């Protein structure tokens, strides 16, 4: 099944089912008003949602309407919890060099993860308001999963069975804050503004063989201001999503609607490019002796779309512009 969230009377929007080709949609409110509602009652209503989804794809629903991804909020405009890993070890090692930090203990055997803010996710085409260009504005292309209820101490193979949906993510970063917050030992806060999501969340079966071994086997195509930036594959994920979910649930239960991110998609081959600016800058330092690529400026755009071998984009695309935001910027605009 494919889901999207349109604006509605509730903060959590209005849930719709989206056809496999992303051309048509239908209201899901007869079963669930919002996606978080559906996730909390998944076992009871998933069969009914699937029947309506099948009818949508077969053209049997008269009230279906044209799907407009630009009208969408994030599939979950907010969630009970957002935990982001760093499951691509190639990226993690490069970031250690970028921030000049000592190697993380047990990095190859224990997933690294931080708990982010989950109260204000952005839709795929919403402008991204940020305080200052001097903060080092960066994009980070990722994949993620949304889980149902997960018991404490779940094993990775069992954790895979708790995954309800797969999502595509741009986990925005402000690199100017990163080094200090990492050194505090308390994790990111100011370095991580609101995260963005592609318009469509999909059940794992929608990806077919491109969901394998707990990994998204798709290339994430990234363009910055219309120029190619990278197309790394999710297949090189060093820890599976089963590993990541089990890590998050090692000492506690996870609520339905919890989102677990993969961390920046990264491949060992230089020909794959990168899914974030910081990684390219580190590669430039390694290969050329200094970083040449600057971070984003206001007005810049980034586009991210995961595609299969036939060119289909199961999640739709993230296509956003960075703009001045915050109280200080608003005041400056009035002076």
């Amino acid at each position: 099944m494919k889901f999207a969230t349109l604006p509605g009377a509730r903060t959590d929007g209005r849930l719709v089912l989206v056809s496999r080709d992303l051309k048509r949609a239908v209201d899901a409110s007869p079963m669930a008003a919002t996606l978080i509602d559906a996730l909390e009652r998944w076992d009871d209503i998933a069969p009914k949602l699937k029947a309506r989804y099948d009818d949508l794809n077969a053209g049997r629903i008269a009230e279906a309407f044209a799907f407009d991804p630009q009208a969408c909020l994030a599939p979950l405009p907010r969630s009970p919890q957002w935990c982001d890993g760093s499951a691509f070890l190639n990226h993690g090692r490069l970031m250690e060099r970028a921030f000049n930090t000592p190697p993380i203990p047990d990095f190859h055997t224990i997933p690294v993860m931080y708990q982010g803010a989950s109260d204000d996710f952005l839709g795929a085409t919403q402008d991204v308001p940020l305080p200052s260009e001097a903060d080092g504005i960066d994009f980070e292309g990722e994949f993620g999963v949304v889980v149902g209820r997960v018991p404490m101490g779940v094993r990775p193979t069992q954790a895979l069975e708790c995954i309800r949906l797969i999502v595509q993510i741009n986990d925005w970063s402000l690199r100017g804050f990163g080094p200090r917050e990492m050194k505090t030992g308390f994790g990111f806060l100011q370095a991580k503004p609101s995260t963005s999501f592609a318009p469509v969340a999909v059940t794992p079966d929608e990806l077919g063989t491109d969901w394998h071994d707990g990994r998204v086997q798709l290339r994430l195509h990234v363009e910055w201001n219309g120029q190619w930036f990278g197309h790394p594959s999710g297949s090189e994920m060093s820890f599976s999503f089963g590993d990541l979910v089990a890590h998050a649930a090692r000492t506690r239960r996870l609520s339905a609607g919890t989102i677990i991110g993969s961390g920046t998609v990264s491949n060992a081959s230089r020909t794959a490019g990168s899914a974030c600016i910081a990684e390219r800058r580190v590669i430039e330092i390694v290969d050329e002796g200094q970083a040449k690529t600057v971070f984003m400026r206001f007005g810049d755009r980034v586009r991210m779309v995961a595609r299969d071998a036939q060119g289909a984009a199961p999640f739709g695309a993230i296509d956003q512009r960075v703009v001045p935001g915050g109280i200080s910027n608003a005041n400056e605009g009035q002076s």
Side-chain angles (χ1 to χ4, degrees):
M1 291 179 283
K2 295 190 175 185
F3 297 93
T5 295
L6 298 177
R10 307 185 183 196
T11 302
D12 296 311
R14 175 170 64 96
L15 181 63
V16 297
L17 285 157
V18 182
S19 62
R20 187 166 285 115
D21 61 8
L22 305 188
K23 292 182 178 180
R24 306 287 289 172
V26 65
D27 191 4
S29 61
M31 284 74 71
T34 65
L35 186 51
I36 191 65
D37 178 29
L39 290 162
E40 289 176 340
R41 299 187 293 117
W42 189 263
D43 290 342
D44 292 333
I45 68 169
K48 297 176 183 178
L49 289 167
K50 181 62 165 60
R52 191 162 175 81
Y53 179 67
D54 290 342
D55 286 342
L56 173 65
N57 284 304
R60 293 192 291 263
I61 298 183
E63 63 268 31
F65 54 89
F67 177 60
D68 180 8
Q70 295 190 19
C72 291
L73 306 176
L76 283 168
R78 56 181 178 172
S79 75
Q81 186 170 209
W82 154 235
C83 297
D84 197 21
S86 183
F88 292 85
L89 297 189
N90 181 68
H91 176 77
R93 291 304 187 201
L94 287 170
M95 290 302 99
E96 287 178 351
R97 299 181 73 164
F99 294 117
N100 194 29
T101 56
I104 298 171
D106 304 313
F107 192 46
H108 286 85
T109 57
I110 301 175
V112 174
M113 186 173 290
Y114 78 91
Q115 189 177 43
S118 61
D119 61 319
D120 183 34
F121 293 141
L122 298 177
T125 61
Q126 288 181 259
D127 283 347
V128 182
L130 295 169
S132 173
E133 293 176 346
D135 294 334
I137 303 169
D138 198 356
F139 48 81
E140 288 193 56
E142 306 188 13
F143 295 111
V145 297
V146 186
V147 299
R149 292 183 178 88
V150 181
M152 181 174 63
V154 66
R155 295 183 181 276
T157 53
Q158 298 169 319
L160 286 174
E161 298 175 4
C162 298
I163 293 172
R164 301 289 179 257
L165 301 168
I166 304 172
V167 291
Q168 179 192 313
I169 298 169
N170 182 0
D171 184 38
W172 291 96
S173 289
L174 299 177
R175 299 299 185 186
F177 295 108
R180 178 192 172 277
E181 291 190 332
M182 291 176 72
K183 290 175 183 177
T184 66
F186 277 77
F188 296 121
L189 180 65
Q190 294 175 340
K192 290 294 184 180
S194 297
T195 302
S196 302
F197 289 79
V200 178
V202 309
T203 50
D205 61 290
E206 288 291 325
L207 298 186
T209 58
D210 288 322
W211 171 250
H212 174 68
D213 196 27
R215 294 164 172 83
V216 178
Q217 312 283 328
L218 298 174
R219 288 196 175 274
L220 184 59
H221 297 260
V222 182
E223 295 179 359
W224 180 11
N225 290 331
Q227 300 297 312
W228 177 89
F229 198 83
H231 58 254
S233 170
S235 63
E236 291 190 25
M237 196 171 164
S238 303
F239 296 100
S240 73
F241 276 111
D243 295 324
L244 295 183
V245 173
H247 178 76
R250 177 65 181 83
T251 59
R252 56 178 168 168
R253 299 172 296 174
L254 303 182
S255 300
T258 293
I259 304 171
I260 307 290
S262 67
T264 305
V265 180
S266 179
N267 292 173
S269 172
R270 296 282 201 268
T271 61
S274 298
C276 76
I277 300 170
E279 182 174 295
R280 175 183 277 191
R281 285 170 58 86
V282 178
I283 292 172
E284 290 170 344
I285 293 171
V286 172
D287 293 351
E288 304 175 47
Q290 62 178 348
K292 298 179 179 179
T293 304
V294 299
F295 291 111
M296 299 184 79
R297 305 293 189 189
F298 292 140
D300 282 4
R301 302 191 72 94
V302 62
R303 178 179 173 84
M304 299 179 179
V305 56
R307 295 193 181 278
D308 64 19
Q310 290 72 46
F315 308 101
I318 296 173
D319 192 346
Q320 292 182 292
R321 181 176 60 122
V322 176
V323 298
I327 293 175
S328 59
N329 278 303
N331 290 341
E332 288 172 6
Q334 294 172 1
S335 61

